[in-house]
Amino acid sequence: MQTHELAYHAAHPPLAIRRVEARVLSLTDAWMRVRWRIDGPDKLVVPSFAGKGRADNLWQTTCFELFMMPKDGTPGYSEFNLSPSERWAAYDFADYRDGMSQREFAREPDCTMRTGQSIAIFDASLPRSQMPEAPCAIGLAAVLEEEGGVKSYWALNHPKAEPDFHDPACFAACLARTRAA
């Protein structure tokens, strides 16, 4: 599957991070595996381990986000927030930032973070049965906090003066329907 280079929002530049890439690693009937790679993570703030569990406001520190909008002509979409702490959140929206409800998850996502001197890797596996059906437009994004509270906002596109991962223009990648593996 294709690797997507994310861009930081011009109003919120990073401190030391040089590059962020994201990609869907695999999509089967059981799991969707997504990876974010960060170049230059030496000042990255990684949330402490908290154990699996649903939590709101994960975007207030380092957090990785996936948005999915089925290509059925409706304006609804889903948002998945994934933290290195292993906390997560999942929401459905009826329209752009409207009609938010919690998306039910019977099985929690698996999240792992590996940080080295020059790169950091965040992997997430989400249960397919609890996610929108492909084909979908998708948005891959990250909020990355660095030392001193510096936050940068990374996405496929930034069409507005302030970061807004919910903007449909940010759903710039496509997830095609695949055969079971």
Side-chain angles (χ1 to χ4, degrees):
M1 302 209 171
Q2 184 178 3
T3 298
H4 302 278
E5 187 163 349
L6 305 184
Y8 66 84
H9 193 281
H12 300 275
L15 191 60
I17 295 168
R18 296 180 308 276
R19 184 175 186 196
V20 177
E21 296 176 345
R23 73 181 292 175
V24 175
L25 291 175
S26 65
L27 180 66
T28 68
D29 284 346
W31 294 98
M32 178 179 187
R33 294 182 52 231
V34 186
R35 171 173 286 170
W36 286 261
R37 176 191 162 134
I38 303 162
D39 292 349
D42 53 311
K43 297 185 185 299
L44 184 67
V45 174
V46 177
S48 299
F49 173 77
K52 289 185 180 182
R54 189 182 287 264
D56 292 322
N57 300 314
L58 296 173
W59 54 269
Q60 292 184 358
T61 187
T62 298
C63 173
F64 300 87
E65 301 190 13
L66 168 68
F67 291 83
M68 299 177 73
M69 180 182 285
K71 291 189 170 191
D72 61 4
T74 62
Y77 60 97
S78 299
E79 173 185 6
F80 304 91
N81 298 333
L82 306 155
S83 171
S85 71
E86 291 197 7
R87 297 293 177 164
W88 60 274
Y91 309 100
D92 287 325
F93 291 83
D95 203 340
Y96 171 73
R97 291 191 173 275
D98 187 47
M100 184 176 98
S101 62
Q102 287 199 5
R103 185 174 189 85
E104 293 305 316
F105 258 58
R107 183 170 184 183
E108 297 183 286
D110 290 323
C111 300
T112 59
M113 181 94 177
R114 297 182 306 275
T115 304
Q117 284 189 319
S118 62
I119 68 166
I121 302 288
F122 180 79
D123 286 328
S125 296
L126 297 104
R128 259 319 269 146
S129 63
Q130 298 157 184
M131 300 180 70
E133 288 296 319
C136 291
I138 64 171
L140 296 158
V143 175
L144 300 177
E145 182 178 2
E146 294 178 275
E147 294 173 359
V150 174
K151 290 182 192 165
S152 54
Y153 300 86
W154 299 76
L156 295 169
N157 286 319
H158 292 288
K160 296 183 176 177
E162 287 299 320
D164 184 2
F165 299 155
H166 292 254
D167 188 304
C170 292
F171 300 12
C174 184
L175 184 63
R177 186 181 312 263
T178 61
R179 291 185 301 200

